[in-house]
Amino acid sequence: DSSVELDISADYPLGTRRPDLVTTPAGRRLDELTLDALRAGDIDGDDLRATPRTLRLQAAVAQAAGRPALAANLERAAELALVPADVLLEIYTALRPRRSSARSLEHWAERLETEYEAPLTAAFVREALVVYGERGLLSLSDEPAPAV
């Protein structure tokens, strides 16, 4: 989030030093996420998910700390945070070696860009497509990847 000023030496870890910046998808604060609240049914698993905003803030911390690979992973995670779990599992399955053709992986990349507004992850899938092609790891069939 470009509107938030972060000082990695003072603000990291965000959950401890800047809990005001970390909320759940439903907008709950970290101090509301307790075992008692879970037992009472006041929160559920969805309340424990990271939000795209929090992941982007963590990516900014990683980038500022000189960890660009971690920052890139967190940026992709931010894109995927709102993608339904069943779709994530389909993508994971499609990315396993010899599970998908070039055409199928390109289809996933296009869906990531258009349906889920995830251009960084789409680029990652296209990069995998190229590497899989070079290493002979693409399926020769255009059938969808089998379910796990």
Side-chain angles (χ1 to χ4, degrees), residues 78-129:
E79 288 184 343
L80 296 175
L82 301 179
V83 175
D86 60 325
V87 174
L88 288 175
L89 186 56
E90 287 181 59
I91 295 167
Y92 171 80
T93 300
L95 284 168
R96 293 181 67 196
R98 296 184 182 85
R99 293 289 180 111
S100 298
S101 66
R103 183 172 153 192
S104 176
L105 289 177
E106 180 55 37
H107 173 74
W108 273 115
E110 289 173 11
R111 278 190 71 188
L112 284 163
E113 283 178 331
T114 59
E115 289 179 45
Y116 301 106
E117 299 178 19
L120 299 173
T121 308
F124 181 83
V125 170
R126 287 187 176 107
E127 182 180 334
L129 188 162

Side-chain angles (χ1 to χ4, degrees), residues 53-78:
R53 180 177 185 262
T54 298
L55 290 163
R56 286 190 177 94
L57 288 170
Q58 292 288 25
V61 169
Q63 189 68 42
R67 301 187 66 193
L70 177 58
N73 285 339
L74 288 164
E75 287 287 348
R76 284 192 298 273

Side-chain angles (χ1 to χ4, degrees), residues 27-38:
R28 293 182 186 272
R29 299 179 323 271
L30 283 181
D31 64 354
E32 295 178 70
L33 304 179
T34 65
L35 193 52
D36 289 336
L38 182 62

Side-chain angles (χ1 to χ4, degrees), residues 13-29:
L14 294 177
T16 303
R17 300 218 173 135
R18 290 295 306 273
D20 58 301
L21 298 178
V22 182
T23 60
T24 70
R28 293 182 186 272
R29 299 179 323 271

